[in-house]
Amino acid sequence: MLNIAICEDEERYADDLKWCLEVWAANSGINIKIKKFNNGIPLLEHIQSKGKFNLIFMDIEMEKMNGLETAVKIRETDYITAIVFVSQYEDYYKAAYDVHPFHFLCKPISPKKLESIMDAYMKMKKQDVETYTFSIGKAQYSLRLDEIVYFRSEHRHVNIIGRDCKYRFYGTLGAVQKELEQRTRRFIRIHQSYLVNTKYIREYHFKELVLYNGETLGISRDNRMKMRELHMLLLEQ
């Protein structure tokens, strides 16, 4: 079941989006539950009292609390929920990248474009349930990839820093990187000692990046240009 929120103050656009989502769900054989909100305030209240959504379609221009302000509030505590910004204008797109949106959707709603966004989301969601398996002594452990914030190498060992856990096992960061590159493009090497899940990066800077948990990790000289190119590519998209 996918829990989806539509935050849109124009009822005709909210209804069009809801209908398109229901058509996509019926054709894809996926169960969805949709709840509509006319601005960011009731959406935030719902999240606080009843929990997070899997996916939020967020209109950028709304009265009382617009989509960018609402997304900033959401990202203060939630960096997992996918946000798709919906707007008639492209002026906001670069500013919107500060809250790491999943995608953008232009008004009027194109069913074909919405279908491609939802298909891309389901592919990403499938990656999220993949796991990384490692051994500590004779015991074997598995962690979901979306729960791993970053890997850190230290004295022939690799430390896994997760959202709510930490592990340390014998191995090399190079071997971890090689394995993950065959399965996902989500983890990037920013330093000889760090392999980071891009899902948890809040800010890019030339010499360092900031994670959503507040940690700052240094970017090595050899990786700075690659990180800058990645950041510029995200802004252009």
Side-chain angles (χ1 to χ4, degrees), residues 138-168:
K138 295 182 179 180
Q140 194 171 65
Y141 297 81
S142 289
L143 283 180
R144 286 171 51 127
L145 292 182
D146 69 325
E147 293 180 347
I148 299 173
V149 181
Y150 66 91
F151 296 86
R152 184 182 74 237
S153 65
E154 185 180 26
H155 305 307
R156 297 185 181 178
H157 285 80
V158 175
N159 296 282
I160 298 179
I161 311 301
R163 278 160 45 192
D164 303 304
C165 61
K166 292 183 180 181
Y167 291 94
R168 177 182 170 90

PDB file of all heavy atoms in Angstrom, residues 138-168:
ATOM      1  N   LYS A 138      31.415 -15.102  13.222  1.00  0.00           N
ATOM      2  CA  LYS A 138      30.662 -16.148  12.532  1.00  0.00           C
ATOM      3  C   LYS A 138      29.219 -15.743  12.268  1.00  0.00           C
ATOM      4  O   LYS A 138      28.459 -16.496  11.648  1.00  0.00           O
ATOM      5  CB  LYS A 138      30.687 -17.433  13.361  1.00  0.00           C
ATOM      6  CG  LYS A 138      32.078 -18.042  13.503  1.00  0.00           C
ATOM      7  CD  LYS A 138      32.026 -19.346  14.295  1.00  0.00           C
ATOM      8  CE  LYS A 138      33.412 -19.964  14.412  1.00  0.00           C
ATOM      9  NZ  LYS A 138      33.400 -21.236  15.180  1.00  0.00           N
ATOM     10  N   ALA A 139      28.845 -14.567  12.724  1.00  0.00           N
ATOM     11  CA  ALA A 139      27.466 -14.100  12.554  1.00  0.00           C
ATOM     12  C   ALA A 139      27.333 -13.263  11.286  1.00  0.00           C
ATOM     13  O   ALA A 139      28.227 -12.505  10.926  1.00  0.00           O
ATOM     14  CB  ALA A 139      27.033 -13.279  13.759  1.00  0.00           C
ATOM     15  N   GLN A 140      26.206 -13.416  10.601  1.00  0.00           N
ATOM     16  CA  GLN A 140      25.938 -12.664   9.387  1.00  0.00           C
ATOM     17  C   GLN A 140      24.785 -11.691   9.631  1.00  0.00           C
ATOM     18  O   GLN A 140      23.787 -12.032  10.262  1.00  0.00           O
ATOM     19  CB  GLN A 140      25.587 -13.610   8.233  1.00  0.00           C
ATOM     20  CG  GLN A 140      25.617 -12.948   6.867  1.00  0.00           C
ATOM     21  CD  GLN A 140      25.485 -13.959   5.755  1.00  0.00           C
ATOM     22  OE1 GLN A 140      24.460 -14.619   5.619  1.00  0.00           O
ATOM     23  NE2 GLN A 140      26.519 -14.089   4.935  1.00  0.00           N
ATOM     24  N   TYR A 141      24.942 -10.482   9.109  1.00  0.00           N
ATOM     25  CA  TYR A 141      23.941  -9.436   9.314  1.00  0.00           C
ATOM     26  C   TYR A 141      23.500  -8.891   7.950  1.00  0.00           C
ATOM     27  O   TYR A 141      24.267  -8.900   6.983  1.00  0.00           O
ATOM     28  CB  TYR A 141      24.507  -8.277  10.138  1.00  0.00           C
ATOM     29  CG  TYR A 141      24.929  -8.659  11.534  1.00  0.00           C
ATOM     30  CD1 TYR A 141      26.161  -9.268  11.760  1.00  0.00           C
ATOM     31  CD2 TYR A 141      24.119  -8.392  12.633  1.00  0.00           C
ATOM     32  CE1 TYR A 141      26.564  -9.616  13.049  1.00  0.00           C
ATOM     33  CE2 TYR A 141      24.505  -8.716  13.918  1.00  0.00           C
ATOM     34  CZ  TYR A 141      25.739  -9.332  14.125  1.00  0.00           C
ATOM     35  OH  TYR A 141      26.134  -9.673  15.390  1.00  0.00           O
ATOM     36  N   SER A 142      22.272  -8.366   7.916  1.00  0.00           N
ATOM     37  CA  SER A 142      21.769  -7.697   6.720  1.00  0.00           C
ATOM     38  C   SER A 142      21.095  -6.397   7.132  1.00  0.00           C
ATOM     39  O   SER A 142      20.304  -6.378   8.087  1.00  0.00           O
ATOM     40  CB  SER A 142      20.754  -8.576   5.971  1.00  0.00           C
ATOM     41  OG  SER A 142      21.402  -9.671   5.353  1.00  0.00           O
ATOM     42  N   LEU A 143      21.429  -5.333   6.419  1.00  0.00           N
ATOM     43  CA  LEU A 143      20.803  -4.033   6.650  1.00  0.00           C
ATOM     44  C   LEU A 143      20.192  -3.536   5.352  1.00  0.00           C
ATOM     45  O   LEU A 143      20.773  -3.718   4.274  1.00  0.00           O
ATOM     46  CB  LEU A 143      21.838  -2.999   7.116  1.00  0.00           C
ATOM     47  CG  LEU A 143      22.326  -3.050   8.562  1.00  0.00           C
ATOM     48  CD1 LEU A 143      23.342  -1.943   8.780  1.00  0.00           C
ATOM     49  CD2 LEU A 143      21.164  -2.895   9.535  1.00  0.00           C
ATOM     50  N   ARG A 144      19.029  -2.905   5.457  1.00  0.00           N
ATOM     51  CA  ARG A 144      18.436  -2.278   4.281  1.00  0.00           C
ATOM     52  C   ARG A 144      19.330  -1.136   3.809  1.00  0.00           C
ATOM     53  O   ARG A 144      19.846  -0.366   4.619  1.00  0.00           O
ATOM     54  CB  ARG A 144      17.041  -1.734   4.629  1.00  0.00           C
ATOM     55  CG  ARG A 144      15.984  -2.805   4.768  1.00  0.00           C
ATOM     56  CD  ARG A 144      14.703  -2.216   5.333  1.00  0.00           C
ATOM     57  NE  ARG A 144      14.269  -1.032   4.600  1.00  0.00           N
ATOM     58  CZ  ARG A 144      13.053  -0.881   4.096  1.00  0.00           C
ATOM     59  NH1 ARG A 144      12.166  -1.853   4.221  1.00  0.00           N
ATOM     60  NH2 ARG A 144      12.709   0.227   3.488  1.00  0.00           N
ATOM     61  N   LEU A 145      19.505  -1.037   2.496  1.00  0.00           N
ATOM     62  CA  LEU A 145      20.367   0.010   1.955  1.00  0.00           C
ATOM     63  C   LEU A 145      19.868   1.400   2.330  1.00  0.00           C
ATOM     64  O   LEU A 145      20.664   2.312   2.563  1.00  0.00           O
ATOM     65  CB  LEU A 145      20.459  -0.102   0.430  1.00  0.00           C
ATOM     66  CG  LEU A 145      21.189  -1.330  -0.118  1.00  0.00           C
ATOM     67  CD1 LEU A 145      21.243  -1.258  -1.639  1.00  0.00           C
ATOM     68  CD2 LEU A 145      22.596  -1.432   0.450  1.00  0.00           C
ATOM     69  N   ASP A 146      18.547   1.582   2.395  1.00  0.00           N
ATOM     70  CA  ASP A 146      18.028   2.908   2.699  1.00  0.00           C
ATOM     71  C   ASP A 146      18.203   3.282   4.157  1.00  0.00           C
ATOM     72  O   ASP A 146      17.952   4.428   4.546  1.00  0.00           O
ATOM     73  CB  ASP A 146      16.554   3.037   2.289  1.00  0.00           C
ATOM     74  CG  ASP A 146      15.627   2.198   3.155  1.00  0.00           C
ATOM     75  OD1 ASP A 146      16.049   1.099   3.569  1.00  0.00           O
ATOM     76  OD2 ASP A 146      14.502   2.635   3.423  1.00  0.00           O
ATOM     77  N   GLU A 147      18.650   2.340   5.001  1.00  0.00           N
ATOM     78  CA  GLU A 147      18.904   2.643   6.409  1.00  0.00           C
ATOM     79  C   GLU A 147      20.379   2.976   6.668  1.00  0.00           C
ATOM     80  O   GLU A 147      20.743   3.375   7.766  1.00  0.00           O
ATOM     81  CB  GLU A 147      18.501   1.459   7.283  1.00  0.00           C
ATOM     82  CG  GLU A 147      16.992   1.207   7.300  1.00  0.00           C
ATOM     83  CD  GLU A 147      16.612   0.028   8.180  1.00  0.00           C
ATOM     84  OE1 GLU A 147      17.519  -0.723   8.569  1.00  0.00           O
ATOM     85  OE2 GLU A 147      15.413  -0.136   8.460  1.00  0.00           O
ATOM     86  N   ILE A 148      21.228   2.797   5.649  1.00  0.00           N
ATOM     87  CA  ILE A 148      22.660   3.064   5.800  1.00  0.00           C
ATOM     88  C   ILE A 148      22.961   4.502   5.371  1.00  0.00           C
ATOM     89  O   ILE A 148      22.706   4.879   4.227  1.00  0.00           O
ATOM     90  CB  ILE A 148      23.494   2.081   4.962  1.00  0.00           C
ATOM     91  CG1 ILE A 148      23.239   0.640   5.433  1.00  0.00           C
ATOM     92  CG2 ILE A 148      24.979   2.418   5.061  1.00  0.00           C
ATOM     93  CD1 ILE A 148      23.896  -0.422   4.559  1.00  0.00           C
ATOM     94  N   VAL A 149      23.508   5.300   6.295  1.00  0.00           N
ATOM     95  CA  VAL A 149      23.846   6.694   5.996  1.00  0.00           C
ATOM     96  C   VAL A 149      25.186   6.760   5.265  1.00  0.00           C
ATOM     97  O   VAL A 149      25.304   7.397   4.227  1.00  0.00           O
ATOM     98  CB  VAL A 149      23.888   7.541   7.283  1.00  0.00           C
ATOM     99  CG1 VAL A 149      24.216   8.997   6.962  1.00  0.00           C
ATOM    100  CG2 VAL A 149      22.556   7.454   8.023  1.00  0.00           C
ATOM    101  N   TYR A 150      26.203   6.092   5.810  1.00  0.00           N
ATOM    102  CA  TYR A 150      27.492   6.027   5.111  1.00  0.00           C
ATOM    103  C   TYR A 150      28.360   4.900   5.671  1.00  0.00           C
ATOM    104  O   TYR A 150      28.106   4.378   6.754  1.00  0.00           O
ATOM    105  CB  TYR A 150      28.249   7.362   5.166  1.00  0.00           C
ATOM    106  CG  TYR A 150      28.712   7.821   6.534  1.00  0.00           C
ATOM    107  CD1 TYR A 150      29.972   7.490   7.027  1.00  0.00           C
ATOM    108  CD2 TYR A 150      27.900   8.631   7.320  1.00  0.00           C
ATOM    109  CE1 TYR A 150      30.407   7.934   8.268  1.00  0.00           C
ATOM    110  CE2 TYR A 150      28.313   9.088   8.565  1.00  0.00           C
ATOM    111  CZ  TYR A 150      29.573   8.737   9.031  1.00  0.00           C
ATOM    112  OH  TYR A 150      30.003   9.166  10.269  1.00  0.00           O
ATOM    113  N   PHE A 151      29.373   4.520   4.888  1.00  0.00           N
ATOM    114  CA  PHE A 151      30.401   3.570   5.307  1.00  0.00           C
ATOM    115  C   PHE A 151      31.681   4.369   5.573  1.00  0.00           C
ATOM    116  O   PHE A 151      32.007   5.293   4.821  1.00  0.00           O
ATOM    117  CB  PHE A 151      30.685   2.536   4.220  1.00  0.00           C
ATOM    118  CG  PHE A 151      29.535   1.627   3.886  1.00  0.00           C
ATOM    119  CD1 PHE A 151      28.579   2.007   2.956  1.00  0.00           C
ATOM    120  CD2 PHE A 151      29.427   0.375   4.484  1.00  0.00           C
ATOM    121  CE1 PHE A 151      27.532   1.162   2.625  1.00  0.00           C
ATOM    122  CE2 PHE A 151      28.382  -0.484   4.161  1.00  0.00           C
ATOM    123  CZ  PHE A 151      27.434  -0.085   3.232  1.00  0.00           C
ATOM    124  N   ARG A 152      32.428   3.969   6.608  1.00  0.00           N
ATOM    125  CA  ARG A 152      33.702   4.627   6.916  1.00  0.00           C
ATOM    126  C   ARG A 152      34.777   3.566   7.135  1.00  0.00           C
ATOM    127  O   ARG A 152      34.576   2.612   7.908  1.00  0.00           O
ATOM    128  CB  ARG A 152      33.577   5.488   8.176  1.00  0.00           C
ATOM    129  CG  ARG A 152      34.847   6.271   8.494  1.00  0.00           C
ATOM    130  CD  ARG A 152      34.712   7.073   9.778  1.00  0.00           C
ATOM    131  NE  ARG A 152      34.781   6.210  10.956  1.00  0.00           N
ATOM    132  CZ  ARG A 152      33.832   6.128  11.879  1.00  0.00           C
ATOM    133  NH1 ARG A 152      32.734   6.849  11.771  1.00  0.00           N
ATOM    134  NH2 ARG A 152      33.975   5.328  12.924  1.00  0.00           N
ATOM    135  N   SER A 153      35.903   3.714   6.455  1.00  0.00           N
ATOM    136  CA  SER A 153      36.994   2.760   6.634  1.00  0.00           C
ATOM    137  C   SER A 153      37.888   3.200   7.785  1.00  0.00           C
ATOM    138  O   SER A 153      38.098   4.393   8.016  1.00  0.00           O
ATOM    139  CB  SER A 153      37.819   2.655   5.342  1.00  0.00           C
ATOM    140  OG  SER A 153      38.458   3.877   5.047  1.00  0.00           O
ATOM    141  N   GLU A 154      38.428   2.217   8.492  1.00  0.00           N
ATOM    142  CA  GLU A 154      39.276   2.513   9.650  1.00  0.00           C
ATOM    143  C   GLU A 154      40.097   1.278  10.012  1.00  0.00           C
ATOM    144  O   GLU A 154      39.551   0.274  10.474  1.00  0.00           O
ATOM    145  CB  GLU A 154      38.402   2.945  10.832  1.00  0.00           C
ATOM    146  CG  GLU A 154      39.169   3.398  12.055  1.00  0.00           C
ATOM    147  CD  GLU A 154      38.238   3.807  13.187  1.00  0.00           C
ATOM    148  OE1 GLU A 154      37.090   3.298  13.240  1.00  0.00           O
ATOM    149  OE2 GLU A 154      38.660   4.627  14.017  1.00  0.00           O
ATOM    150  N   HIS A 155      41.400   1.341   9.784  1.00  0.00           N
ATOM    151  CA  HIS A 155      42.320   0.282  10.202  1.00  0.00           C
ATOM    152  C   HIS A 155      41.858  -1.113   9.766  1.00  0.00           C
ATOM    153  O   HIS A 155      41.617  -1.989  10.582  1.00  0.00           O
ATOM    154  CB  HIS A 155      42.493   0.295  11.719  1.00  0.00           C
ATOM    155  CG  HIS A 155      42.928   1.614  12.268  1.00  0.00           C
ATOM    156  ND1 HIS A 155      44.034   2.293  11.814  1.00  0.00           N
ATOM    157  CD2 HIS A 155      42.377   2.394  13.241  1.00  0.00           C
ATOM    158  CE1 HIS A 155      44.175   3.423  12.483  1.00  0.00           C
ATOM    159  NE2 HIS A 155      43.177   3.522  13.345  1.00  0.00           N
ATOM    160  N   ARG A 156      41.722  -1.311   8.468  1.00  0.00           N
ATOM    161  CA  ARG A 156      41.338  -2.600   7.877  1.00  0.00           C
ATOM    162  C   ARG A 156      39.926  -3.040   8.276  1.00  0.00           C
ATOM    163  O   ARG A 156      39.580  -4.219   8.126  1.00  0.00           O
ATOM    164  CB  ARG A 156      42.358  -3.696   8.249  1.00  0.00           C
ATOM    165  CG  ARG A 156      43.752  -3.424   7.704  1.00  0.00           C
ATOM    166  CD  ARG A 156      44.665  -4.596   7.995  1.00  0.00           C
ATOM    167  NE  ARG A 156      46.017  -4.343   7.489  1.00  0.00           N
ATOM    168  CZ  ARG A 156      47.025  -5.189   7.633  1.00  0.00           C
ATOM    169  NH1 ARG A 156      46.827  -6.336   8.276  1.00  0.00           N
ATOM    170  NH2 ARG A 156      48.212  -4.892   7.150  1.00  0.00           N
ATOM    171  N   HIS A 157      39.167  -2.138   8.784  1.00  0.00           N
ATOM    172  CA  HIS A 157      37.782  -2.422   9.116  1.00  0.00           C
ATOM    173  C   HIS A 157      36.871  -1.399   8.437  1.00  0.00           C
ATOM    174  O   HIS A 157      37.321  -0.317   8.052  1.00  0.00           O
ATOM    175  CB  HIS A 157      37.543  -2.374  10.628  1.00  0.00           C
ATOM    176  CG  HIS A 157      38.074  -3.558  11.354  1.00  0.00           C
ATOM    177  ND1 HIS A 157      39.417  -3.683  11.673  1.00  0.00           N
ATOM    178  CD2 HIS A 157      37.464  -4.688  11.831  1.00  0.00           C
ATOM    179  CE1 HIS A 157      39.605  -4.832  12.311  1.00  0.00           C
ATOM    180  NE2 HIS A 157      38.439  -5.457  12.414  1.00  0.00           N
ATOM    181  N   VAL A 158      35.616  -1.757   8.284  1.00  0.00           N
ATOM    182  CA  VAL A 158      34.610  -0.849   7.740  1.00  0.00           C
ATOM    183  C   VAL A 158      33.540  -0.628   8.800  1.00  0.00           C
ATOM    184  O   VAL A 158      33.012  -1.589   9.381  1.00  0.00           O
ATOM    185  CB  VAL A 158      33.964  -1.423   6.457  1.00  0.00           C
ATOM    186  CG1 VAL A 158      32.835  -0.514   5.981  1.00  0.00           C
ATOM    187  CG2 VAL A 158      35.006  -1.609   5.367  1.00  0.00           C
ATOM    188  N   ASN A 159      33.262   0.633   9.070  1.00  0.00           N
ATOM    189  CA  ASN A 159      32.184   0.988   9.990  1.00  0.00           C
ATOM    190  C   ASN A 159      30.941   1.360   9.185  1.00  0.00           C
ATOM    191  O   ASN A 159      31.029   2.137   8.229  1.00  0.00           O
ATOM    192  CB  ASN A 159      32.587   2.186  10.859  1.00  0.00           C
ATOM    193  CG  ASN A 159      33.756   1.869  11.760  1.00  0.00           C
ATOM    194  OD1 ASN A 159      33.624   1.219  12.782  1.00  0.00           O
ATOM    195  ND2 ASN A 159      34.946   2.325  11.359  1.00  0.00           N
ATOM    196  N   ILE A 160      29.816   0.796   9.556  1.00  0.00           N
ATOM    197  CA  ILE A 160      28.544   1.176   8.950  1.00  0.00           C
ATOM    198  C   ILE A 160      27.841   2.131   9.907  1.00  0.00           C
ATOM    199  O   ILE A 160      27.571   1.785  11.058  1.00  0.00           O
ATOM    200  CB  ILE A 160      27.642  -0.044   8.694  1.00  0.00           C
ATOM    201  CG1 ILE A 160      28.297  -1.006   7.700  1.00  0.00           C
ATOM    202  CG2 ILE A 160      26.280   0.410   8.164  1.00  0.00           C
ATOM    203  CD1 ILE A 160      27.470  -2.247   7.419  1.00  0.00           C
ATOM    204  N   ILE A 161      27.560   3.330   9.425  1.00  0.00           N
ATOM    205  CA  ILE A 161      26.814   4.299  10.214  1.00  0.00           C
ATOM    206  C   ILE A 161      25.391   4.321   9.661  1.00  0.00           C
ATOM    207  O   ILE A 161      25.145   4.786   8.552  1.00  0.00           O
ATOM    208  CB  ILE A 161      27.436   5.708  10.120  1.00  0.00           C
ATOM    209  CG1 ILE A 161      28.945   5.652  10.379  1.00  0.00           C
ATOM    210  CG2 ILE A 161      26.731   6.660  11.072  1.00  0.00           C
ATOM    211  CD1 ILE A 161      29.334   5.094  11.720  1.00  0.00           C
ATOM    212  N   GLY A 162      24.463   3.787  10.438  1.00  0.00           N
ATOM    213  CA  GLY A 162      23.075   3.729  10.002  1.00  0.00           C
ATOM    214  C   GLY A 162      22.238   4.801  10.662  1.00  0.00           C
ATOM    215  O   GLY A 162      22.721   5.589  11.484  1.00  0.00           O
ATOM    216  N   ARG A 163      20.984   4.862  10.286  1.00  0.00           N
ATOM    217  CA  ARG A 163      20.076   5.839  10.883  1.00  0.00           C
ATOM    218  C   ARG A 163      19.955   5.621  12.384  1.00  0.00           C
ATOM    219  O   ARG A 163      19.931   6.575  13.159  1.00  0.00           O
ATOM    220  CB  ARG A 163      18.697   5.731  10.237  1.00  0.00           C
ATOM    221  CG  ARG A 163      18.599   6.479   8.928  1.00  0.00           C
ATOM    222  CD  ARG A 163      17.460   6.015   8.061  1.00  0.00           C
ATOM    223  NE  ARG A 163      16.211   5.837   8.791  1.00  0.00           N
ATOM    224  CZ  ARG A 163      15.142   5.213   8.286  1.00  0.00           C
ATOM    225  NH1 ARG A 163      15.200   4.732   7.057  1.00  0.00           N
ATOM    226  NH2 ARG A 163      14.041   5.082   8.963  1.00  0.00           N
ATOM    227  N   ASP A 164      19.877   4.356  12.784  1.00  0.00           N
ATOM    228  CA  ASP A 164      19.675   4.053  14.205  1.00  0.00           C
ATOM    229  C   ASP A 164      20.637   2.986  14.718  1.00  0.00           C
ATOM    230  O   ASP A 164      20.364   2.352  15.742  1.00  0.00           O
ATOM    231  CB  ASP A 164      18.226   3.576  14.438  1.00  0.00           C
ATOM    232  CG  ASP A 164      17.199   4.578  13.966  1.00  0.00           C
ATOM    233  OD1 ASP A 164      17.259   5.734  14.420  1.00  0.00           O
ATOM    234  OD2 ASP A 164      16.359   4.219  13.131  1.00  0.00           O
ATOM    235  N   CYS A 165      21.738   2.771  14.008  1.00  0.00           N
ATOM    236  CA  CYS A 165      22.633   1.685  14.423  1.00  0.00           C
ATOM    237  C   CYS A 165      24.047   1.942  13.916  1.00  0.00           C
ATOM    238  O   CYS A 165      24.268   2.769  13.026  1.00  0.00           O
ATOM    239  CB  CYS A 165      22.124   0.344  13.890  1.00  0.00           C
ATOM    240  SG  CYS A 165      22.057   0.282  12.077  1.00  0.00           S
ATOM    241  N   LYS A 166      25.006   1.194  14.488  1.00  0.00           N
ATOM    242  CA  LYS A 166      26.389   1.230  14.047  1.00  0.00           C
ATOM    243  C   LYS A 166      26.950  -0.188  14.091  1.00  0.00           C
ATOM    244  O   LYS A 166      26.695  -0.929  15.047  1.00  0.00           O
ATOM    245  CB  LYS A 166      27.235   2.149  14.934  1.00  0.00           C
ATOM    246  CG  LYS A 166      26.894   3.627  14.813  1.00  0.00           C
ATOM    247  CD  LYS A 166      27.819   4.472  15.677  1.00  0.00           C
ATOM    248  CE  LYS A 166      27.481   5.945  15.562  1.00  0.00           C
ATOM    249  NZ  LYS A 166      28.385   6.803  16.391  1.00  0.00           N
ATOM    250  N   TYR A 167      27.705  -0.555  13.052  1.00  0.00           N
ATOM    251  CA  TYR A 167      28.350  -1.861  13.002  1.00  0.00           C
ATOM    252  C   TYR A 167      29.784  -1.677  12.519  1.00  0.00           C
ATOM    253  O   TYR A 167      30.105  -0.706  11.831  1.00  0.00           O
ATOM    254  CB  TYR A 167      27.611  -2.809  12.060  1.00  0.00           C
ATOM    255  CG  TYR A 167      26.246  -3.245  12.544  1.00  0.00           C
ATOM    256  CD1 TYR A 167      25.098  -2.555  12.157  1.00  0.00           C
ATOM    257  CD2 TYR A 167      26.111  -4.341  13.384  1.00  0.00           C
ATOM    258  CE1 TYR A 167      23.849  -2.959  12.589  1.00  0.00           C
ATOM    259  CE2 TYR A 167      24.866  -4.757  13.825  1.00  0.00           C
ATOM    260  CZ  TYR A 167      23.740  -4.060  13.429  1.00  0.00           C
ATOM    261  OH  TYR A 167      22.498  -4.454  13.867  1.00  0.00           O
ATOM    262  N   ARG A 168      30.633  -2.666  12.843  1.00  0.00           N
ATOM    263  CA  ARG A 168      32.033  -2.644  12.427  1.00  0.00           C
ATOM    264  C   ARG A 168      32.425  -4.059  12.018  1.00  0.00           C
ATOM    265  O   ARG A 168      32.212  -5.015  12.774  1.00  0.00           O
ATOM    266  CB  ARG A 168      32.904  -2.143  13.588  1.00  0.00           C
ATOM    267  CG  ARG A 168      34.407  -2.134  13.328  1.00  0.00           C
ATOM    268  CD  ARG A 168      35.110  -1.651  14.595  1.00  0.00           C
ATOM    269  NE  ARG A 168      36.551  -1.813  14.560  1.00  0.00           N
ATOM    270  CZ  ARG A 168      37.395  -0.903  14.100  1.00  0.00           C
ATOM    271  NH1 ARG A 168      36.933   0.237  13.640  1.00  0.00           N
ATOM    272  NH2 ARG A 168      38.703  -1.122  14.104  1.00  0.00           N
TER     273      ARG A 168
END
